[in-house]
Amino acid sequence: MNKEQTLKLLGDYNQQYILDHYYRLNLEKKGDFLKELKGLDLALVFKLYKKFAQEKDISRPFGEIHPAPIITIPETSREKTRQQEARILGESLIRKNEVAVLIVAGGQGSRLGFEGPKGKFRISPVKQKSLFQLLAESVKALTNRYQATIPLLIMTNQENQQETQQFFAANNFFNLDRKTLYFFNQGMLPTLTAEGQLILKNDTQLLVNPDGHGGSLKALFEIAFLQHLIDHGFSELFYCQVDNPLVKIADPVFIGYHRMEGAEISTKVVRRHDPVEKVGIYGLVNGKPTIIEYSDFRPEDYKALDEKGAICHWAGNTAIHMVSLAFVKRLNQHGYALPYHRAEKEVEGRGRDGRWAQMTGWKFETFVFDSIPLARKACGVEVIREEEFAPVKNRQGKDSPDTARAAMNALHRSWLKEAGARLAPEVQVEISPLFALDREELVAKLKGQNLVVNRDRYIDL
Ligand code: UTP
């Protein structure tokens, strides 16, 4: 869009205040502000505003929701054999350099209230390693184990990009191969007031927000990195969020199931035992696997029990996915296919009187899980929550650093006990991903060592 078209667009969407501001600027600042305006998808947010402003009920219209088919934790010998086959297949795909890892770290982490990128948050119980360090070391350990190239893609946003990259650089990139570590930015969209007005951050910049974790699949396509991976023989992407320190990165079993099922996207789910626990549910809507937000259920359906007294809609989303690269490409081929959602959040920006003020902002975002119903085939895989899912969302209470640390400690204690170690009840333990990535590896390494742990202990190479 050229200058005239941009200014006309502002006029068409009643942004008189922004136009007046523009005309008051000196020549140099005018140029800067115009550059900012041209770099943002203004037409998109104005259209979205119009759409959402007309809708009275912002929740998505869901029809009947049914439980989706899910590969549950294996119990029978047949299921165990299938799991073993999945592991072998997944391992072979990693060894053949077909699997890349994507960590989305472009969120604002507002609930945690931590200054800086969330991945810098120190989380491990003994060593106080950051989330980024744990994830990076897991990738490093996997590349060693499988002698494979596993590209690690980290999505940031324009506001936390620099600090994230500096953190990796200051830590020698956690000894990852620099050639296979990539940082990229997701898109930013202007935040609007509840009246649909753009908000100034300063004379030449608007208040913007990252375009949601769904922006990862869009950005990968737009920066042509997707094609780069495909051209180099990669076919699958392991997707996870930066805030789950228990995540089993590039879990071969998960990769294997995904491929065996011929899925374009797969999702790990954990069992919900509490009928009122609020999580997104992996279920069927109009026959298609879909993540349904807690708020989109009728309360009686959300709490419904089956004839055995178990929760009907038990499959809670972990936001851990396998995504086929060909599918990501398809999602982008005719414009980005994912729908936008709007979130209402308190934001700060320049008010009409020129003073800094707090106001209600409308943010527009896409969600990765909205791609699930668009897939030709999707697959759900149950995993054990205590082994794989401990998100760090809130400052305190549920899903907080305390609960995640306790989960890490409990898991690693259970591995050590299985390896024959004797542990004093109160001690905290932590196992480096570089020493053992999973229970089996730890047991194999410590067998016969009769380890006794009487004080907090970090188990490293
Ligand atoms: P959340 O939805 O939990 O958001 O993101 P958040 O930004 O971390 O925290 P709050 O809601 O502000 O408290 C889940 C994952 O998706 C990433 C986050 O970094 C996190 O890993 N994310 C979220 C992005 O990468 N970009 C976004 O625009 C939003």
Side-chain angles (χ1 to χ4, degrees):
M1 235 192 279
N2 63 26
K3 174 178 154 187
E4 282 68 36
Q5 287 164 325
T6 305
L7 298 179
K8 179 170 180 320
L9 185 75
L10 291 173
D12 290 348
Y13 284 93
N14 305 322
Q15 304 292 322
Q16 199 52 48
Y17 168 72
I18 296 291
L19 279 173
D20 291 346
H21 171 76
Y22 169 78
Y23 287 119
R24 274 199 303 270
L25 294 175
N26 66 29
L27 207 58
E28 194 189 343
K29 284 192 173 179
K30 264 199 183 97
D32 289 346
F33 192 38
L34 202 61
K35 196 162 157 227
E36 163 89 353
L37 292 167
K38 286 205 280 193
L40 291 164
D41 198 342
L42 297 174
L44 173 69
V45 288
F46 293 147
K47 265 191 232 141
L48 289 171
Y49 179 81
K50 214 167 148 192
K51 170 175 171 276
F52 284 105
Q54 278 163 3
E55 276 176 20
K56 284 197 196 78
D57 179 6
I58 64 158
S59 67
R60 290 179 290 172
F62 277 108
E64 266 312 91
I65 302 168
H66 295 283
I70 284 165
I71 300 172
T72 48
I73 307 288
E75 284 174 5
T76 64
S77 62
R78 205 162 142 231
E79 287 166 349
K80 286 181 185 157
T81 306
R82 193 152 187 268
Q83 186 189 50
Q84 199 45 30
E85 287 165 3
R87 182 189 305 279
I88 292 166
L89 176 58
E91 289 183 336
S92 79
L93 292 175
I94 299 175
R95 283 202 182 91
K96 284 197 281 180
N97 296 341
E98 285 200 36
V99 181
V101 169
L102 165 63
I103 298 170
V104 291
Q108 293 174 310
S110 42
R111 284 169 288 171
L112 185 64
F114 172 65
E115 270 300 309
K118 209 190 220 183
K120 282 177 69 176
F121 191 86
R122 292 173 172 274
I123 192 67
S124 73
V126 179
K127 265 282 186 188
Q128 303 289 313
K129 285 185 189 173
S130 64
L131 287 157
F132 276 140
Q133 180 168 1
L134 290 172
L135 299 171
E137 287 181 352
S138 295
V139 173
K140 176 77 188 166
L142 281 166
T143 57
N144 292 346
R145 181 193 273 188
Y146 295 112
Q147 292 296 299
T149 300
I150 305 177
L152 172 57
L153 285 51
I154 297 182
M155 182 175 83
T156 52
N157 70 48
Q158 78 184 26
E159 279 159 6
N160 70 13
Q161 165 200 27
Q162 204 185 5
E163 200 178 334
T164 300
Q165 294 196 21
Q166 278 169 355
F167 183 67
F168 272 80
N171 288 285
N172 195 26
F173 302 94
F174 302 107
N175 296 319
L176 287 165
D177 181 352
R178 281 292 286 120
K179 291 196 289 296
T180 58
L181 176 64
Y182 306 87
F183 296 92
F184 68 99
N185 274 347
Q186 65 182 111
M188 303 295 278
L189 288 173
T191 308
L192 299 181
T193 66
E195 294 74 38
Q197 295 296 307
L198 294 166
I199 304 166
L200 286 174
K201 192 160 102 179
N202 54 42
D203 266 357
T204 56
Q205 285 181 306
L206 293 175
L207 190 71
V208 291
N209 61 270
D211 62 356
H213 41 65
S216 57
L217 306 184
K218 183 169 185 257
L220 275 181
F221 178 82
E222 284 176 352
I223 60 171
F225 196 67
L226 184 71
Q227 196 54 47
H228 177 79
L229 285 173
I230 295 172
D231 291 346
H232 284 79
F234 291 92
S235 61
E236 306 289 353
L237 194 63
F238 175 90
Y239 168 102
C240 66
Q241 305 189 331
V242 73
D243 53 15
N244 176 17
L246 289 193
V247 64
K248 268 192 194 169
I249 292 216
D251 170 12
V253 173
F254 187 42
I255 299 169
Y257 279 139
H258 171 76
R259 184 56 73 88
M260 276 158 105
E261 293 286 316
E264 289 188 312
I265 182 161
S266 297
T267 305
K268 283 194 177 187
V269 298
V270 289
R271 202 166 278 272
R272 179 166 70 96
H273 294 294
D274 173 355
V276 292
E277 184 197 4
K278 296 177 187 171
V279 285
I281 298 293
Y282 186 82
L284 286 184
V285 176
N286 300 325
K288 290 215 166 264
T290 304
I291 301 287
I292 307 114
E293 303 262 35
Y294 156 83
S295 50
D296 287 327
F297 270 89
R298 287 197 309 237
E300 61 273 28
D301 290 343
Y302 196 72
K303 287 189 262 180
L305 304 179
D306 65 16
E307 60 285 357
K308 290 187 194 139
I311 294 171
C312 289
H313 299 290
W314 59 265
N317 180 25
T318 60
I320 301 168
H321 302 285
M322 284 304 304
V323 193
S324 297
L325 297 180
F327 177 50
V328 181
K329 196 167 167 182
R330 190 151 61 76
L331 287 174
N332 283 281
Q333 230 134 34
H334 308 288
Y336 193 47
L338 298 197
Y340 281 85
H341 298 256
R342 110 180 148 96
E344 231 176 69
K345 299 244 169 98
E346 284 310 295
V347 296
E348 286 183 12
R350 221 189 248 184
R352 285 298 167 96
D353 56 4
R355 291 213 197 114
W356 200 246
Q358 211 181 29
M359 58 193 100
T360 304
W362 281 25
K363 297 182 175 186
F364 302 105
E365 301 175 319
T366 60
F367 300 152
V368 150
F369 57 70
D370 278 330
S371 62
I372 298 173
L374 304 179
R376 292 189 186 120
K377 179 85 203 283
C379 163
V381 180
E382 183 192 3
V383 295
I384 298 170
R385 182 189 298 232
E386 290 73 16
E387 296 193 350
E388 306 201 22
F389 188 54
V392 181
K393 299 288 181 194
N394 306 310
R395 199 182 292 227
Q396 283 168 335
K398 188 180 181 301
D399 296 342
S400 65
D402 283 351
T403 56
R405 262 181 215 119
M408 283 187 78
N409 181 46
L411 181 65
H412 289 176
R413 282 181 70 93
S414 82
W415 293 4
L416 283 166
K417 279 191 182 156
E418 203 162 314
R422 273 174 298 146
L423 303 163
E426 71 285 2
V427 297
Q428 301 276 316
V429 293
E430 177 182 334
I431 296 156
S432 167
L434 295 164
F435 184 76
L437 273 172
D438 51 39
R439 187 183 297 271
E440 294 75 25
E441 192 172 11
L442 186 85
V443 170
K445 282 193 174 162
L446 291 187
K447 217 171 183 176
Q449 290 203 13
N450 298 321
L451 198 67
V452 178
V453 183
N454 288 324
R455 56 187 169 79
D456 291 356
R457 178 85 184 259
Y458 171 65
I459 302 195
D460 197 5
L461 289 171

